Amino acid sequence: MTTMTEASVREFKMPDVGEGLTEAEILKWYVQVGDTVTDGQVVCEVETAKAAVELPIPYDGVVRELRFAEGTTVDVGTAIIAVDVSGGAAPEPAPAAPAEPAPAPAEEAEPQGRTPVLVGYGVAASSTKRRPRKGPEVAVASAPAELNGHGPAAPAPVKERPLAKPPVRKLAKDLGVDLARVVPSGPDGIITREDVHAAVAPAESVVEAPVPAPAAVPAPAPAVAGFDSARETRVPVKGVRKATAQAMIGSAFTAPHVTEFVTVDVTRTMKLVEELKQDKEFQGLRVNPLLLIAKALLVAIKRNPEVNASWDEAAQEIVLKHYVNLGIAAATPRGLIVPNIKDAQDKTLPQLSAALGELVSTAREGKTSPAAMQGGTVTITNVGVFGVDTGTPILNPGESAILAVGAIKLQPWVHKGKVKPRQVTTLALSFDHRLVDGELGSKVLADVAAILEQPKRLISWA
């Protein structure tokens, strides 16, 4: 009969699945307590600020506990599932664990070494936010005290990190409340929003006593809590929507935006689109105006390479990119995302078509990976699909330019000296004026327009 010990239980922590993210929401659990799992099996789906990601477990065993319910936002580095590995392939340090409690941290460190192998195996120890533990953590914390000559009695002042969800921590920070002084009322000692507000109430009463005027400060709180649910709906800002809001604010108030416009006759481009649809080289591929617009922008960047750059504020340098990671803004059920096509400048037209098709289908399925949304240099946003003539797009953070494409409409146009119905659209190019001056921005936009008016320039200018 096998005796259950702490050494046989492994905790899987919420990993940083994309460039310094601090939290993720658990969307769905694929396992339940008592289920057997194997190394590499997907156990849950989480949504970060950038995408929905499936997390695989890095060892074999039986699920002992699911620490959080679906819909919960969890800090990176927090244990989300406990697995009993006593019946599976236990790690090398495990046999020594029952004899001494100290090796437990070594077990936790093993998944970190697996990070390059599979997504979801933990983050660096220095950035991990750990759940408070008994025993081993106190022993480790006491070591510095002994070295400083405070003696073995030093562990007494060691404080455990208060348990609270990210939104509650933010509320406490905004209100200036020290969570260590708050008495928790939630299950398992978790601090709730009500606990934070209760901690603020006494302080407010002390401040209000000598000065009657501040008594009006708490008034807004009942107004928020008592809104008319029949007339208003409040939607929590999180995930992709939260990330988009933060990115747009950062971009709008960091990069000085300039937007230029041009209206162009794209009749010949539309004819070429129809011809390419019949070409056997494009069989099975999606051919649409966006494909030729993307190619036109890539050619314009080749003719004006200085536009493909970024601003390094820390180094006070302009970084010229010798590659183009072409971003395509995509509206998804989770919000706006901007995945990009890596090294788009090297792709032939059929290859670019295939890449665009894969990008769009992956985005619609909600399976875009964080890596696909990193490292973009220039973006296209096609607002024309909504029947809009054009717009003034905001730059994707870290990029130098974004091209907005309006609706293509049949309009009266002077062609060869006569007014004729032609297919016309309006293009808008926003650029970072720290990097791109008016002349360079105008040349890029004019080149894109010239190619769409005479698509044979895709050959002569390429």
Side-chain angles (χ1 to χ4, degrees):
M1 179 176 179
T2 303
T3 302
M4 297 300 297
T5 64
E6 288 302 319
S8 67
V9 177
R10 299 288 297 275
E11 292 182 329
F12 178 58
K13 297 178 174 62
M14 178 69 74
D16 178 0
V17 294
E19 283 199 351
L21 298 175
T22 59
E23 63 185 23
E25 179 186 352
I26 298 175
L27 293 180
K28 184 176 182 181
W29 283 108
Y30 294 120
V31 295
Q32 300 296 328
V33 174
D35 288 355
T36 299
V37 294
T38 57
D39 188 349
Q41 178 180 339
V42 173
V43 294
C44 67
E45 182 181 25
V46 301
E47 182 181 36
T48 70
K50 295 184 177 180
V53 180
E54 293 181 333
L55 300 183
I57 199 80
Y59 27 76
D60 301 334
V62 177
V63 178
R64 168 76 75 84
E65 181 184 4
L66 303 181
R67 297 286 174 84
F68 297 94
E70 294 176 356
T72 305
T73 299
V74 181
D75 283 351
V76 166
T78 303
I80 59 175
I81 181 173
V83 176
D84 170 23
V85 298
S86 60
E92 292 297 330
E100 297 182 25
E107 282 189 342
E108 294 177 6
E110 182 177 350
Q112 296 173 2
R114 299 171 59 95
T115 301
V117 181
L118 192 62
V119 172
Y121 285 19
V123 295
S126 61
S127 63
T128 302
K129 299 179 182 178
R130 298 185 181 278
R131 180 180 291 275
R133 288 172 166 269
K134 297 180 181 178
E137 292 217 357
V138 174
V140 173
S142 65
E146 294 177 5
L147 291 174
N148 292 333
H150 293 259
V158 176
K159 295 182 179 180
E160 293 185 346
R161 183 170 183 258
L163 297 180
K165 295 181 179 180
V168 177
R169 292 186 185 280
K170 184 178 185 304
L171 174 64
K173 181 179 179 181
D174 293 342
L175 297 178
V177 175
D178 182 0
L179 288 178
R181 298 178 179 274
V182 177
V183 178
S185 64
D188 300 324
I190 295 178
I191 297 172
T192 65
R193 297 178 66 91
E194 290 72 19
D195 296 335
V196 175
H197 284 298
V200 175
E204 285 182 347
S205 61
V206 172
V207 174
E208 289 168 10
V211 184
V217 173
V224 174
F227 73 95
D228 188 350
S229 59
R231 293 168 60 84
E232 298 177 356
T233 299
R234 292 180 175 266
V235 180
V237 179
K238 58 184 180 179
V240 174
R241 175 61 62 188
K242 181 178 180 180
T244 300
Q246 293 172 341
M248 293 299 98
I249 290 174
S251 176
F253 294 101
T254 300
H257 285 55
V258 173
T259 305
E260 295 185 341
F261 306 88
V262 64
T263 302
V264 59
D265 177 3
V266 295
T267 304
R268 291 187 177 90
T269 290
M270 297 304 291
K271 288 181 179 178
L272 179 57
V273 168
E274 295 304 317
E275 292 174 4
L276 292 178
K277 289 180 180 180
Q278 309 303 320
D279 194 314
K280 63 180 181 179
E281 294 294 329
F282 291 87
Q283 187 173 2
L285 297 177
R286 185 181 181 86
V287 179
N288 55 23
L290 180 60
L291 171 62
L292 295 183
I293 293 168
K295 191 64 176 178
L297 179 57
L298 291 171
V299 172
I301 293 172
K302 182 179 179 181
R303 285 168 53 85
N304 304 276
E306 297 85 0
V307 75
N308 190 40
S310 63
W311 183 273
D312 188 334
E313 181 66 27
Q316 286 295 292
E317 294 176 340
I318 293 175
V319 183
L320 298 175
K321 309 294 179 65
H322 305 301
Y323 59 90
V324 182
N325 289 346
L326 182 62
I328 304 295
T332 73
R334 289 190 175 94
L336 177 70
I337 62 174
V338 189
N340 59 75
I341 301 171
K342 310 298 183 186
D343 295 315
Q345 79 284 352
D346 294 333
K347 297 187 182 298
T348 63
L349 202 57
Q351 290 172 341
L352 187 61
S353 176
L356 281 169
E358 181 179 0
L359 180 148
V360 171
S361 61
T362 302
R364 286 176 177 172
E365 294 169 4
K367 300 298 182 182
T368 302
S369 67
M373 293 183 282
Q374 297 165 5
T377 61
V378 177
T379 290
I380 296 176
T381 177
N382 185 10
V383 297
V385 296
F386 306 109
V388 175
D389 290 337
T390 190
T392 54
I394 297 177
L395 293 168
N396 208 29
E399 299 183 8
S400 59
I402 179 171
L403 178 69
V405 182
I408 299 174
K409 300 178 179 180
L410 201 62
Q411 295 183 15
W413 192 264
V414 178
H415 178 68
K416 295 181 179 180
K418 296 181 180 180
V419 177
K420 297 182 179 181
R422 304 286 287 182
Q423 290 177 298
V424 176
T425 190
T426 299
L427 306 175
L429 183 72
S430 291
F431 50 86
D432 184 343
H433 216 343
R434 296 174 301 177
L435 297 161
V436 183
D437 57 26
E439 180 185 13
L440 178 58
S442 299
K443 285 182 176 179
V444 173
L445 184 58
D447 279 357
V448 174
I451 293 170
L452 296 179
E453 187 174 16
Q454 293 284 354
K456 65 182 179 181
R457 292 190 172 109
L458 287 171
I459 300 174
S460 59
W461 286 0

